Amino acid sequence: MPQNINKIAVLTSGGDSPGMNAAIRSVVRSCAYMKLQCVAIYRGYQGMIDGDFKEMNARSVNNIINKGGTILKSARCLEFRTPEGRKKGFEQLKKHNVDALVVIGGNGSFAGALKLNEEFNFPVMGIPGTIDNDILGTSYTIGFDTAINTVVEVIDKIRDTASSHNRLFFIEVMGRDVGHIALNAGVGAGAEEILIPEQNLGLDRLLDSLKRSKKSGKSSSIVIVAEGDKTGKNVFELKEYVEEHLPIYDVRVSVLGHMQRGGNPTCFDRVLASRMGVRAVEAILEGKTNYMVGIRDSKLILTPISEAIKAHTEVDEELIRVSDIMTT
Ligand code: F6P
């Protein structure tokens, strides 16, 4: 164990995701197991700047593995984007004798961690927590599996009412820049069309597909729209467009919103978070810094944060093909 690591801090930052608590628990318990001190920082980088720290022990994280959200709270902190803000944060870390930091969050949170390291040579380690599943260097981010299961459950319910009334529903799901939630939940729920930012198929194709759907005798149609979709129309505008061009359809809209971020994490997310937390602490003890823990082919891997934040992960082309075939 490198001499200089006695105390590790952990925080959650950016949009919360189900499974973050399991990751916090894992970091705290790994520290206890490895005889390290652990301190939690509340409210992400804002709490770091404000000195909102709390010593943790193995018992501080009892009964949280099953809970959604994050017990440490989260924030999108503008002040930490400035050198002055980061300096304040670093001073608080020093004041609390912290030797390394584990950041559970997404791209923006990792960019902040990287800056902290560059400016103060402070050891940082990332754990990917976001429902969007958009981070390079990992096949799964913590929270994605729970989110897609939540979305599928809700679409199943919407399907009941849609088919009772022979209706078409536009359902907007989260995914600011990527269509992973839309594509996976769309295939899982048997959506007739899936509109994602990575693939602008155009409105004509949408109308064609809906015409075909009606002709083939379908009693309901579900179109999943990722919030970052590039058709240039939001779900309400899409409803108007279709009503104007295909008046045979009775159209409704459902925006799922933040319910997608809540709820008890699935077993997959709990296990993933537990594994990643242990690896993050181990990697710090191996003297590593500026890495993100990820998973690929069921194996944990480390990717430099600088790589992880370079771009978003691409959607699975094979899944797009499957989706196309299934909507026949
Ligand atoms: O955390 C990712 C995410 O849920 C995106 O899918 C969504 O665009 C965004 O966060 C919403 O952020 P906020 O909760 O800050 O409005």
Side-chain angles (χ1 to χ4, degrees):
M1 182 193 304
Q3 286 301 304
N4 53 342
I5 305 290
N6 292 310
K7 195 181 210 178
I8 292 180
V10 58
L11 61 78
T12 49
S13 164
D16 61 293
S17 68
M20 278 186 163
N21 282 326
I24 295 164
R25 173 179 177 270
S26 176
V27 171
V28 171
R29 294 229 166 131
S30 300
C31 286
Y33 182 84
M34 294 169 208
K35 309 269 182 282
L36 299 167
Q37 294 175 61
C38 187
V39 65
I41 302 176
Y42 283 75
R43 295 178 295 115
Y45 291 118
Q46 191 58 57
M48 185 192 285
I49 291 171
D50 298 342
D52 201 353
F53 290 49
K54 187 180 161 209
E55 302 293 326
M56 303 293 270
N57 62 45
R59 297 284 71 76
S60 317
V61 288
N62 284 349
N63 304 326
I64 65 166
I65 192 169
N66 55 329
K67 303 245 170 18
T70 159
I71 59 159
L72 300 186
K73 316 277 184 191
S74 195
R76 300 193 195 275
C77 175
L78 292 179
E79 196 180 352
F80 202 74
R81 294 191 189 168
T82 66
E84 298 75 30
R86 289 192 290 274
K87 185 157 185 292
K88 283 189 204 163
F90 172 69
E91 279 161 6
Q92 289 289 353
L93 289 170
K94 285 286 104 190
K95 186 172 154 196
H96 289 85
N97 299 316
V98 176
D99 302 310
L101 172 70
V102 176
V103 173
I104 306 168
N107 276 316
S109 313
F110 292 161
L114 199 56
K115 284 261 179 222
L116 185 74
N117 176 270
E118 281 165 8
E119 291 165 7
F120 305 102
N121 195 24
F122 196 84
V124 295
M125 191 61 57
I127 296 180
T130 163
I131 63 165
D132 286 358
N133 205 34
D134 58 349
I135 303 180
L136 280 184
T138 189
S139 304
Y140 296 101
T141 57
I142 296 167
F144 173 64
D145 184 67
T146 306
I148 55 177
N149 277 289
T150 301
V151 173
V152 163
E153 196 186 324
V154 174
I155 298 174
D156 287 349
K157 291 187 164 85
I158 293 176
R159 177 76 78 179
D160 290 344
T161 174
S163 62
S164 301
H165 289 266
N166 283 355
R167 278 178 174 157
L168 159 64
F169 267 81
F170 282 102
I171 302 177
E172 186 192 278
V173 300
M174 277 188 169
R176 196 172 17 211
D177 306 301
V178 291
H180 296 293
I181 295 177
L183 184 58
N184 282 270
V187 170
E192 276 62 38
E193 269 295 329
I194 303 168
L195 307 182
I196 54 176
E198 294 85 347
Q199 235 200 351
N200 187 1
L201 298 172
L203 294 169
D204 289 345
R205 137 115 192 205
L206 176 65
L207 293 182
D208 284 350
S209 150
L210 291 174
K211 272 184 215 153
R212 256 187 290 130
S213 200
K214 203 49 152 188
K215 235 187 193 162
S216 72
K218 289 197 178 182
S219 63
S220 64
S221 291
I222 302 282
V223 178
I224 312 284
V225 186
E227 63 176 331
D229 164 58
K230 302 265 187 315
T231 49
K233 292 192 189 294
N234 65 34
V235 271
F236 298 98
E237 292 162 346
L238 284 170
K239 170 187 185 316
E240 280 172 20
Y241 184 82
V242 169
E243 281 175 339
E244 190 186 321
H245 291 83
L246 290 176
I248 37 166
Y249 271 108
D250 184 14
V251 190
R252 294 290 185 277
V253 168
S254 202
V255 177
L256 301 192
H258 285 78
M259 60 117 71
Q260 295 162 89
R261 288 226 301 250
N264 301 345
T266 56
C267 183
F268 180 89
D269 276 328
R270 297 180 199 195
V271 173
L272 180 67
S274 302
R275 293 178 70 188
M276 286 180 165
V278 172
R279 187 67 193 108
V281 174
E282 277 175 357
I284 289 171
L285 292 183
E286 287 162 13
K288 298 198 167 69
T289 180
N290 295 357
Y291 283 95
M292 181 197 79
V293 182
I295 189 159
R296 183 153 303 136
D297 301 329
S298 304
K299 297 259 181 306
L300 294 178
I301 53 168
L302 295 177
T303 300
I305 290 180
S306 55
E307 287 298 311
I309 62 174
K310 250 187 199 155
H312 294 297
T313 43
E314 287 175 10
V315 284
D316 185 346
E317 290 296 327
E318 190 248 353
L319 196 50
I320 292 182
R321 203 174 97 77
V322 169
S323 158
D324 287 343
I325 294 171
M326 289 303 107
T327 54
T328 306

